[in-house]
Amino acid sequence: MKQWRIGRGSKQVMSFSAIGVMNALVDIGVLNLLMLLFPTDDRIQLIAYNTISYTLAIVNSYFWNAKLTFPSKSIHDRRQVLLFLVQAVIALGVSNLVFYGALIAFDWMSFLPRYIERNISKGLAMFLSSASSFFMMKHLVFPRSKPDQESK
């Protein structure tokens, strides 16, 4: 029985990771497009760009994770959508804090082109927010059993 849980968990991580790659393409693509179309050195504007790109990726994430990673646990009721939004806001906060912190760190030790520094900052932000998002979705948004099943 434990082997079944490990296998199922591995499939969830693999599915979540594949969807994460797709989300990363959306997230990085939109961020870079915004930086290309509207160049800036203003950190607040860069955080706004990060927020826009992250928001588009998180909408994509909800759709695909509900369909592929946690299909038996997605019920799309108000509670689940609200919990997803809560975890998304928390993960966005993690993303923006890490992105901002990395931008500041690169300002102190600026040795790479800004474009590269911003993409490294984005990569760090994506990694940490994705990890926090996975655990919140697994344990909060799409828990082991549906709320209706727990009471039966």
Side-chain angles (χ1 to χ4, degrees):
M1 180 140 184
K2 282 188 178 190
Q3 198 171 24
W4 176 78
R5 283 186 179 172
I6 291 170
R8 187 169 140 221
S10 296
K11 287 179 185 176
Q12 283 181 333
V13 170
M14 288 174 56
S15 174
F16 188 83
S17 297
I19 292 165
V21 169
M22 186 173 28
N23 294 335
L25 293 174
V26 169
D27 203 352
I28 291 172
V30 171
L31 176 69
N32 281 288
L33 182 64
L34 289 169
M35 289 190 307
L36 179 68
L37 295 175
F38 309 103
T40 186
D41 286 328
D42 181 45
R43 285 191 212 118
I44 300 302
Q45 193 169 352
L46 290 168
I47 292 296
Y49 293 172
N50 186 59
T51 300
I52 292 166
S53 66
Y54 186 87
T55 301
L56 293 174
I58 206 70
V59 169
N60 187 59
S61 174
Y62 180 77
F63 177 79
W64 290 110
N65 278 305
K67 290 228 179 265
L68 300 176
T69 308
F70 307 106
S72 64
K73 298 170 187 160
S74 60
I75 52 180
H76 305 291
D77 64 356
R78 285 185 187 160
R79 180 181 182 277
Q80 193 171 69
V81 171
L82 179 63
L83 288 172
F84 180 83
L85 291 174
V86 167
Q87 78 76 33
V89 168
I90 293 169
L92 173 61
V94 170
S95 176
N96 279 337
L97 284 172
V98 172
F99 185 67
Y100 188 78
L103 290 174
I104 290 172
F106 277 121
D107 278 350
W108 292 337
M109 54 181 184
S110 183
F111 57 91
L112 294 170
R114 288 196 188 271
Y115 175 79
I116 301 295
E117 292 174 353
R118 291 173 182 166
N119 279 279
I120 291 171
S121 299
K122 181 63 175 176
L124 291 169
M126 287 170 50
F127 175 75
L128 291 172
S129 67
S130 180
S132 66
S133 180
F134 175 77
F135 288 106
M136 286 186 285
M137 282 204 279
K138 182 169 178 69
H139 300 292
L140 180 69
V141 181
F142 304 111
R144 190 172 289 198
S145 61
K146 296 178 186 174
D148 294 337
Q149 293 174 340
E150 288 177 2
S151 61
K152 292 181 181 178

